Amino acid sequence: MKYLYVANWKMNISFNESISFCENNSKDLQQLTQNNIQLIICPSFVALASITALLKNSAISIGAQNCSAYESGAYTGEVSVLSLAQIGVTHCIVGHSEQRMYHHETTEQIINKIKLLYKYNITPILCIGETKENFLNNQTFTTLTQQLEPILHAIQQEKHPIIIAYEPVWAIGTGIIPEPEQLTTMFAWLFNLINLSISHNNIPLLYGGSINHQNIASLKRIPHIDGFLIGGASTNFEELKQIITLSH
Ligand code: PGA
C-alpha cells in the first residue's frame, strides 16, 4: 500500500494562490510522489478543473473537499459527483468535522455521498473524530463507533476503496496533537473495528489535525497509520515538502 498524504486546502487559499502553488512547484510536486508516496491535493471547488488540467500528466491525485448528497436536480449551490468525475477528480472528502459542525452534515447524507462517489468511481476520504467535549467526557470510542458503524454497515458489500481519516476535532487547527500513546491505542482500536466490519478490503487509515514538520516524525512511528490529512500546513509548499520528506 502506498503511503498517503492528503493536502486539504480548505478555504485557506484563493483560486489564484491555488493555481500558483501548482504552477510554481510542479517539478518538486512530481518528485514528492516518488518512493511509494501518493499525494492527493484537495483545492476548493472552483480550482478543481484548472488543477486537474494542470497536473494531468503527473502522479498527483486531485480530491474535492465535499460533494452533493444528491445525484442531480434543484439543489442550488451544490456540486454533483458526476461533475467532479467529468473533470478528473479521483477522491473526495466526506464527513469533515467542519461540514458536520457548520453545515450539519448527517451520517445519512455521508452514506448517500459515498454511494454516489462509488457510482462514479471516486474514492471517498471519510473523516471521523470526537469533539473536545466528547474527549473530556470519555466519549471518544462511543462517538467514533456512532460515526463509523452505520457507514461501515452500508458499504460492507462494496468492493470499492475507501480511505478513513481519524481527526480529533480538538486537534484540528489548534496546534495540539494527541499523545503518541493515545494515538497508538486509537489506531489499534480503529484498525480492529474496521477490519472486523469489512474483511475484503485493505482500508488506509490516516491521522489528521495540526500536522507540521516538527511533529510528523513521531506521528510516523505509530502503528496502523498509513498516511496523513494535512490542513493548514499543506498550503505552504516548503512546509508540505518537509512533512513528506521528513517522514520518509
Ligand atoms: P489542520 O487541519 O492540519 O489545519 O489542523 C486538518 C484538517 O482539518 O483536515
Side-chain angles (χ1 to χ4, degrees), residues 22-185:
C22 297
E23 282 177 346
N24 298 345
N25 304 303
S26 66
K27 268 213 189 90
D28 285 348
L29 278 167
Q30 309 270 20
Q31 274 172 0
L32 285 182
T33 52
Q34 288 163 3
N35 301 329
N36 217 28
I37 288 169
Q38 184 178 10
L39 175 61
I40 304 164
I41 294 181
C42 303
S44 66
F45 281 133
V46 285
L48 280 171
S50 313
I51 291 183
T52 44
L54 262 174
L55 300 177
K56 194 168 69 207
N57 297 319
S58 77
I60 295 155
S61 310
I62 307 301
Q65 296 175 13
N66 189 23
C67 63
S68 175
Y70 305 99
E71 190 154 14
S72 68
Y75 300 103
T76 303
E78 297 283 305
V79 175
S80 73
V81 174
L82 170 62
S83 297
L84 296 177
Q86 285 173 343
I87 59 166
V89 165
T90 54
H91 292 76
C92 180
I93 296 173
V94 293
H96 192 279
S97 62
E98 286 150 16
Q99 280 296 326
R100 293 182 196 254
M101 253 188 315
Y102 305 135
H103 300 288
H104 311 290
E105 189 188 39
T106 63
T107 299
E108 198 187 345
Q109 288 170 332
I110 295 171
I111 292 173
N112 286 344
K113 291 179 184 187
I114 293 175
K115 291 198 165 158
L116 284 170
L117 291 167
Y118 281 164
K119 179 169 176 185
Y120 293 101
N121 272 321
I122 295 181
T123 303
I125 303 170
L126 168 67
C127 300
I128 53 165
E130 79 285 1
T131 61
K132 185 159 194 181
E133 200 188 347
N134 298 146
F135 177 71
L136 294 175
N137 291 324
N138 286 326
Q139 288 171 337
T140 298
F141 294 107
T142 328
T143 307
L144 295 180
T145 306
Q146 278 165 3
Q147 290 177 350
L148 261 180
E149 268 189 342
I151 297 172
L152 293 177
H153 181 74
I155 62 167
Q156 218 163 21
Q157 305 303 329
E158 294 283 352
K159 294 279 177 281
H160 293 90
I162 187 165
I163 297 166
I164 298 180
Y166 170 55
E167 302 200 293
V169 180
W170 49 275
I172 296 178
T174 57
I176 303 166
I177 60 165
E179 294 298 324
E181 301 74 39
Q182 272 169 281
L183 283 178
T184 303
T185 310

Side-chain angles (χ1 to χ4, degrees), residues 8 10 96 167 171-173 209-211 229-232:
N8 176 15
K10 310 192 181 188
H96 192 279
E167 302 200 293
I172 296 178
S210 292
I211 293 167
L229 206 164
I230 311 154

